[in-house]
Amino acid sequence: MSQNKVIIVGAGAAGMTAAIFAAREGAQVVLLEHKDRVGKKILSTGNGRCNLSNRLQEPFCYRSGQPDFPWKALGAFTLPMTLEYFEDLGVLTRERDGYLYPYSGQASAVLDALRLGLARESVQVVTECEVFSITPREDAKHRFEVKTSQGSFSSETLILACGSKAAPGTGSDGSGYKLAKRLGHHIIKPLPALVQLRCPEKFFKQLAGVRCDAVLRIKNSQGRVLAADKGEVQLPDYGISGIPVFQVSRFAARALDEGRDVRAILNFYPECPETETRRILKERSERLKERQVEDFFSGWIHKKLAALFLKQAGIWPDRTVGSLTEAQIQTLGDLLCRFEVSVNGTNSFEQAQICCGGVDVREVDAQTMESKKVKGLYFAGEILDVDGACGGYNLQWAWSSGAVAGKNAAKEEKN
């Protein structure tokens, strides 16, 4: 039997994985990449250490317009299979609080292993190759004809693994969405995710540089909590940042795009319940009654935040703590536990780690990654309407969807 021929568009984490698994199934594989080298985005993951997955694997770690879709696909290529895959490539891993990294701590080690894997499986890699068009041909020997800046290629099956629009400098420029759309697929509007949130309040310029633990909740205008997270929040001069902000950002981005008002509520003392925090405030006001108000929060919260709380509460800083009224202490408690700001945007795709949105997964088979609209067309990675939380989940999605697409594209029977 002659080899099945597979073309893969996009040589990122998902595309390279798809190529390796398709080749292992005996397919002749051509991997097309429009940048001058493969896997550029991998080098920036995990702050250069490549957080390649996470021990915690639960459905809530993955987001999509169809919430059950990612988990079905991940069931076909699980975390243990991923770790075995990397061991086969020569990458040993280490774990830190559930986060999995290459033992060397170098993202470049993961990329080098993937490159060696492509070479070992005799995958033909064509870089600086811009795809102009993809034409499905049902009556031809090869089902797909792909015209590119490096000539024409043809194959029985084709995998789109072109990435999203996040971090376009690494190659994810949204070109894959256009290709998928021309092939008849609906695209859920891509929006920045795992990204900073922008707030209009002018006082953020005074808070720039503050880092503090907080519980963050995102609410819509009806008061419904869209998402919440806890951890170190950073306050740049334009709004809010940090891992908890990244985790909730896709929900804020989608609500803003729908024209909804979005609010962020921060609890700057998440160590205990709000009722206990208010009791501590009252007790502290009695214990430190001789202090000036400007020193009331000294030793507790950041000085810049304390100054803002006093200003927001209309309290002159040179008063003594003992002169505070019950109402003023209540107001300080509100600011400490429920500091509310408007959210009017996200940072751009250039700052985003990932996108929410992409190819509508209702049009894709979760078990095989094959299109339900075009026979022989498969998808993998960020191009799909699937995005993961921070912590290695987007790379796990790349490995899993890439492996599933590669295996099935290689096995498909020719006409």
Side-chain angles (χ1 to χ4, degrees):
M1 181 183 289
S2 62
Q3 286 181 306
N4 190 12
K5 192 168 184 179
V6 180
I7 290 175
I8 300 168
V9 182
M16 287 189 284
T17 299
I20 289 169
F21 277 93
R24 286 180 179 178
E25 294 293 335
Q28 182 183 350
V29 183
V30 180
L31 180 60
L32 309 179
E33 169 57 43
H34 68 167
K35 300 296 281 187
D36 60 352
R37 54 196 171 110
V38 301
K40 200 171 179 182
K41 193 171 183 179
I42 290 173
L43 297 176
S44 63
T45 59
N47 292 319
R49 293 182 296 148
C50 191
N51 176 199
L52 55 84
S53 192
N54 200 298
R55 284 287 179 195
L56 175 66
Q57 293 291 325
E58 295 290 346
F60 65 79
C61 301
Y62 301 89
R63 295 84 176 258
S64 171
Q66 302 299 310
D68 60 336
F69 179 89
W71 199 241
K72 286 180 182 176
L74 288 155
F77 193 80
T78 62
L79 175 62
M81 294 175 183
T82 301
L83 296 179
E84 184 178 353
Y85 165 52
F86 278 106
E87 221 171 292
D88 286 344
L89 293 174
V91 178
L92 297 181
T93 58
R94 69 165 67 193
E95 181 180 335
R96 292 180 182 173
D97 299 322
Y99 290 55
L100 294 165
Y101 299 89
Y103 199 86
S104 66
Q106 295 176 295
S108 58
V110 175
L111 180 52
D112 288 343
L114 289 165
R115 283 181 180 142
L116 290 169
L118 294 172
R120 185 174 71 182
E121 303 298 341
S122 302
V123 172
Q124 180 186 352
V125 179
V126 185
T127 56
E128 297 181 291
C129 182
E130 184 181 352
V131 174
F132 298 139
S133 67
I134 299 171
T135 306
R137 302 177 304 175
E138 288 295 332
D139 57 347
K141 178 183 177 183
H142 292 145
R143 187 180 288 131
F144 295 96
E145 181 181 7
V146 183
K147 292 184 178 179
T148 79
S149 57
Q150 300 272 20
S152 292
F153 300 85
S154 59
S155 66
E156 282 80 36
T157 54
L158 184 139
I159 302 172
L160 288 182
C162 317
S164 62
K165 291 179 74 173
T170 63
S172 297
D173 61 0
S175 57
Y177 300 139
K178 296 176 183 177
L179 296 173
K181 193 171 183 178
R182 287 176 198 155
L183 290 165
H185 276 270
H186 176 239
I187 307 299
I188 306 294
K189 184 178 179 179
L191 297 169
L194 299 189
V195 70
Q196 306 87 351
L197 296 178
R198 303 190 73 85
C199 305
E201 287 84 0
K202 293 181 180 178
F203 55 67
F204 278 102
K205 294 191 186 308
Q206 304 165 35
L207 298 177
V210 171
R211 292 170 175 254
C212 52
D213 284 343
V215 168
L216 169 65
R217 290 172 291 152
I218 296 292
K219 288 186 176 182
N220 61 16
S221 53
Q222 287 74 45
R224 185 169 72 86
V225 176
L226 303 176
D229 204 68
K230 176 182 176 181
E232 186 183 77
V233 171
Q234 301 168 26
L235 304 179
D237 61 5
Y238 57 78
I240 53 178
S241 183
I243 298 298
V245 177
F246 290 177
Q247 301 287 42
V248 304
S249 59
R250 63 105 62 206
F251 302 98
R254 191 59 70 191
L256 287 167
D257 187 65
E258 292 169 355
R260 303 176 188 276
D261 290 330
V262 176
R263 309 285 292 175
I265 297 91
L266 294 136
N267 180 348
F268 288 112
Y269 192 60
E271 302 302 315
C272 58
E274 185 177 328
T275 52
E276 176 66 10
T277 301
R278 292 181 183 277
R279 187 196 64 75
I280 293 170
L281 265 173
K282 177 64 176 170
E283 182 183 281
R284 188 177 178 87
S285 69
E286 295 169 358
R287 181 173 293 172
L288 305 177
K289 60 186 178 182
E290 303 300 327
R291 277 190 185 182
Q292 288 189 312
V293 169
E294 66 180 353
D295 297 319
F296 179 52
F297 285 108
S298 181
W300 187 358
I301 64 172
H302 197 286
K303 186 176 288 188
K304 289 184 178 181
L305 273 177
L308 178 63
F309 289 171
L310 294 176
K311 186 176 180 180
Q312 295 270 300
I315 300 170
W316 291 101
D318 57 354
R319 289 177 54 181
T320 62
V321 171
S323 70
L324 293 176
T325 66
E326 290 282 344
Q328 288 172 326
I329 294 171
Q330 176 72 26
T331 299
L332 291 175
D334 291 342
L335 290 165
L336 180 62
C337 298
R338 300 181 189 179
F339 189 77
E340 188 167 331
V341 294
S342 299
V343 177
N344 63 355
T346 70
N347 272 357
S348 68
F349 288 110
E350 279 76 15
Q351 283 80 48
Q353 294 182 23
I354 198 74
C355 287
C356 61
V359 173
D360 191 338
V361 295
R362 288 175 295 185
E363 302 168 353
V364 179
D365 186 328
Q367 303 298 323
T368 64
M369 295 291 110
E370 185 174 16
S371 166
K372 295 177 181 179
K373 288 178 164 272
V374 181
K375 184 170 176 57
L377 172 64
Y378 295 78
F379 297 95
E382 294 179 27
I383 192 172
L384 290 158
D385 177 28
V386 175
D387 56 286
C390 280
Y393 297 106
N394 288 294
L395 278 178
Q396 180 61 58
W397 173 248
W399 316 132
S400 293
S401 60
V404 172
K407 286 180 179 180
N408 286 286
K411 289 177 179 177
E412 182 165 310
E413 292 182 10
K414 296 189 285 289
N415 290 332

